[in-house]
């Protein structure tokens, strides 16, 4: 990985951020009309406003919300965007970010997308308008307009939670490899009929990456690798529902590999209510290594991700970039740990 502090090989080199005048020219209107379309839309026609908004999206324009002499300055704020504030996984990442940034005099502006790419785009536009010093966002996948916006921004961008082709800086783990690891563990325990159960995997695509790794291992052994998606992400109740649906649709299964610990713990507790022996009649595994799964009986077998470490490392590299120093690495693979409980 390159250690140059201000080089982005996949971003538009040397291109200034688009101006309101350029937006107006692209939309075929005057600068005044473009300004009104963004600030007082009731004063322009719907057609003109639509053209301006299309130009804004296409060019990645962000109005600067900081007035006067501060308009070209960066603040001491760092934008942090995550897909959920109800998930303890992201709370631990935020904690690692916050304590590291605050030690150097920075505060975070926190946004929650609720797994909605359009909401991510709107949050980033808003935060960029307040001249944030940097952005930390969970994941590598963004909508087309959002990617255009990110590629035209000149401040540090840190993408966390997974590894891959990042816009700038990246700290995370290999989710496909995590899926492979758990699948191999289940096979080593003698389980052959295994179902993968997720919730809202179209939005929680990292769970889909883990399934890809899981499927690769099972199919490599000539085994079926069924996947059951029970809908929108949920907690313990969703795990109980996942167990019921897995037993209904795949009779004779020996093990269930759940996409996260909330689902797996909910299923484990429901199995006990049902009188099913875990792992005697059904083995259950999860992902994340949350404390809850380690305080139930039997202890949950899971993959532990170093969430606080992700936040700390991400913040440290962003701070190095902001200080004009070479980053240690453009990409950090923090790895993961298989926690072998008694549930498999």
């Amino acid at each position: 990985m390159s250690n140059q502090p201000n080089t982005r090989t996949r971003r538009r080199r040397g291109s200034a951020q688009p101006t309101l005048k350029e937006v107006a020219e692209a939309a075929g209107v005057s600068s005044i009309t473009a300004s009104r379309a963004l600030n007082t839309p009731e004063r322009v026609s719907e057609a003109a406003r639509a053209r301006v908004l299309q130009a804004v999206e296409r060019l990645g324009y962000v109005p600067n919300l900081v007035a006067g002499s501060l308009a070209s300055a960066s603040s001491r704020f760092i934008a942090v965007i995550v897909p959920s504030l109800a998930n303890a996984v992201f709370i631990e990442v935020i904690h690692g970010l916050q304590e590291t940034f605050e030690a150097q005099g920075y505060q975070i502006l926190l946004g929650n997308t609720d797994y909605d790419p359009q909401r991510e785009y709107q949050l980033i536009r808003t935060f960029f308008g307040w001249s944030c010093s940097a952005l930390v966002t969970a994941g590598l996948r963004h909508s087309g307009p959002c990617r255009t916006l990110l590629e035209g921004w000149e401040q540090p961008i840190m993408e966390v939670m997974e590894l891959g082709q990042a816009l700038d800086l990246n700290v995370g783990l290999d989710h496909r490899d995590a899926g492979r690891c758990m699948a191999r563990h289940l096979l080593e325990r003698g389980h052959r009929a295994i179902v993968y159960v997720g919730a809202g995997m179209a939005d929680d695509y990292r769970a889909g990456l883990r399934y890809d790794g899981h499927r690769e291992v099972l199919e490599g052994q000539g085994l079926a690798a069924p996947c059951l998606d029970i809908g929108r992400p949920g907690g313990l109740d969703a795990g109980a529902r996942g167990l019921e649906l897995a037993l209904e649709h795949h009779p004779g299964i020996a093990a269930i590999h759940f996409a996260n610990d909330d689902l797996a713990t909910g299923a484990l507790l429901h199995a006990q209510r049902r009188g099913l022996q875990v792992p005697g009649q059904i083995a259950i595994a999860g992902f994340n290594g949350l404390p809850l799964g380690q305080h139930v009986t039997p202890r949950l077998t899971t993959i532990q991700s170093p969430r606080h470490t992700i936040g700390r490392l991400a913040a440290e590299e962003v701070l190095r970039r902001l200080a004009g120093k070479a980053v240690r690495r453009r990409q950090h693979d923090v790895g993961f740990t298989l926690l072998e409980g008694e549930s498999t």
Side-chain angles (χ1 to χ4, degrees), residues 197-219:
V197 175
M201 290 167 59
D203 296 322
D204 184 12
Y205 68 88
R206 285 177 288 277
L209 294 176
R210 295 193 291 277
Y211 170 63
D212 290 342
H214 164 101
R215 180 179 58 193
E216 177 187 319
V217 170
L218 266 60
E219 291 182 348

Side-chain angles (χ1 to χ4, degrees), residues 264-284:
T265 304
L268 191 153
L269 295 172
H270 186 63
Q272 293 175 340
R273 289 193 296 270
R274 242 175 156 265
L276 288 174
Q277 295 179 1
V278 179
Q281 292 174 280
I282 186 74
I284 293 174

